[in-house]
Amino acid sequence: MPYQQDCTVLNLQALNSHTYELLLEAGGIAEEARPGQFVNVSCGEGRLLRRPISICETSAMQLRLVFEVRGAGTEWLSRRDIDDQVSVLGPLGRGFDAEDKRVLFIGGGIGVPPLLWAAEGAEHADAALGFARADRVILADDFSRVCTRALIATDDGSMGVHGTAMDAANRLLAEHTYDLICACGPKPLLKAAAEAAAKAGIPCQVSMEERMGCGVGACLVCAVPLRDKNGQVYYGHVCKDGPVFFAQEVVFDD
Ligand SMILES: Cc1cc2nc3c(=O)[nH]c(=O)nc-3n(C[C@H](O)[C@H](O)[C@H](O)COP(=O)(O)OP(=O)(O)OC[C@H]3O[C@@H](n4cnc5c(N)ncnc54)[C@H](O)[C@@H]3O)c2cc1C
Ligand code: FES
């Protein structure tokens, strides 16, 4: 059951020129959250729609969110001060099932943050994380802390593997075995992760991003085609049935 709560801003810091880490005092939301779930954040008076942001981590009733400034809502959020109140609805959606498994985490850009907490709960975690260039890399130290191997890839080769997260992931897949792949990022990356998992004969969970309204399954804004066990296509909600799905449920080419 989600809570709607006014949460106190404990800290807000820039991770790079357009990415911020927000620490909120979030009582029940933090206590009940699971890795891969998200919260719906109210981003200023006059903006009716809350903005969905994944939970990066929780600790001691605190929520750690990492977000990029994309438009007016996230820009408003990036200008909060310590002790400001932010209205948060959550925890929402279904998360990853990485606990007690050997997992390869594949993340691209701002899809990287929700994988961190899931990696902490895995029996064994490796990560392949892709960014545009070195000055866009985020959370590298955090993933090094919780993963046995954390490979960074950059599109321009300015840090780590020259290429995408999938190029880094393929190096790990060539040398190690996993029970599960968990991926979050742009749709082409999710599709490539799903294909790599199918080739390796292991399950894959992907976290999907869709525009949202209510965040709780009531408005249909986030409806997407999904595939059931018999291959039949039906419509489900990313906010309620996801955002994390098993890859075989996802219709990648709609
Ligand atoms: C389940 C989920 C988890 C997410 N987790 C994160 C995260 O951890 N960090 C992060 O930086 N971003 C995350 N996003 C994307 C984030 O919600 C958008 O960047 C944000 O809503 C943009 O709002 P805005 O007002 O700044 O931009 P605007 O473009 O002005 O937004 C206009 C409207 O479009 C919606 N919208 C715009 N872009 C997106 C998008 N990419 N996805 C969904 N709705 C969008 C907004 O919510 C708003 O209703 C997530 C999205 C989803 C669906
Ligand atoms: S956002 Fe309203 S149904 Fe998903």
Side-chain angles (χ1 to χ4, degrees):
M1 184 69 186
Y3 299 83
Q4 185 174 320
Q5 231 172 280
D6 285 334
C7 298
T8 306
V9 175
L10 298 173
N11 197 29
L12 177 66
Q13 68 177 78
L15 298 183
N16 61 34
S17 59
H18 65 313
T19 311
Y20 292 81
E21 178 183 287
L22 175 63
L23 201 61
L24 294 171
E25 182 74 61
I29 299 179
E31 240 179 358
E32 297 218 349
R34 286 191 25 82
Q37 288 190 300
F38 68 101
V39 288
N40 232 355
V41 182
S42 185
C43 288
E45 274 178 38
R47 264 176 225 109
L48 201 61
L49 293 182
R50 291 168 177 268
R51 280 20 179 190
I53 304 287
S54 299
I55 297 167
C56 174
E57 245 186 340
T58 68
S59 63
M61 307 248 226
Q62 296 173 7
L63 276 185
R64 184 185 184 194
L65 308 180
V66 173
F67 65 94
E68 267 184 12
V69 171
R70 290 273 177 88
T74 44
E75 204 272 328
W76 179 91
L77 200 58
S78 73
R79 286 187 285 103
R80 295 308 88 206
D81 289 320
I82 290 175
D83 288 337
D84 278 357
Q85 299 288 303
V86 176
S87 171
V88 177
L89 178 70
L92 299 171
R94 287 170 28 182
F96 294 107
D97 296 318
E99 267 175 43
D100 305 325
K101 297 188 177 74
R102 296 178 56 83
V103 186
L104 173 59
F105 293 91
I106 304 176
I110 199 60
V112 164
L115 300 176
L116 180 64
W117 193 20
E120 282 173 34
E123 180 194 298
H124 170 102
D126 285 351
L129 311 172
F131 303 91
R133 46 179 206 262
D135 65 359
R136 295 288 174 92
V137 174
I138 52 169
L139 306 179
D141 291 345
D142 294 86
F143 278 90
S144 295
R145 172 173 54 84
V146 303
C147 294
T148 306
R149 301 169 198 85
L151 294 189
I152 302 291
T154 48
D155 294 340
D156 67 355
S158 50
M159 187 189 279
V161 175
H162 190 168
T164 66
M166 212 51 230
D167 293 314
N170 284 332
R171 292 191 185 189
L172 292 166
L173 281 163
E175 291 174 16
H176 308 284
T177 55
Y178 301 98
D179 303 323
L180 176 70
I181 287 178
C182 293
C184 187
K187 222 172 186 179
L189 178 67
L190 303 186
K191 189 177 178 203
E195 287 166 358
K199 198 170 153 201
I202 55 174
C204 178
Q205 288 190 307
V206 296
S207 183
M208 307 275 288
E209 199 175 286
E210 275 301 322
R211 294 209 166 213
M212 289 186 180
C214 65
V216 293
C219 74
L220 306 182
V221 167
C222 69
V224 290
L226 297 170
R227 219 178 286 284
D228 69 15
K229 287 192 177 81
N230 302 317
Q232 296 293 316
V233 173
Y234 69 101
Y235 277 80
H237 300 109
V238 172
C239 68
K240 187 164 65 78
D241 305 317
V244 175
F245 295 91
F246 278 98
Q248 69 267 22
E249 299 175 84
V250 175
V251 179
F252 283 109
D253 305 305
D254 53 337

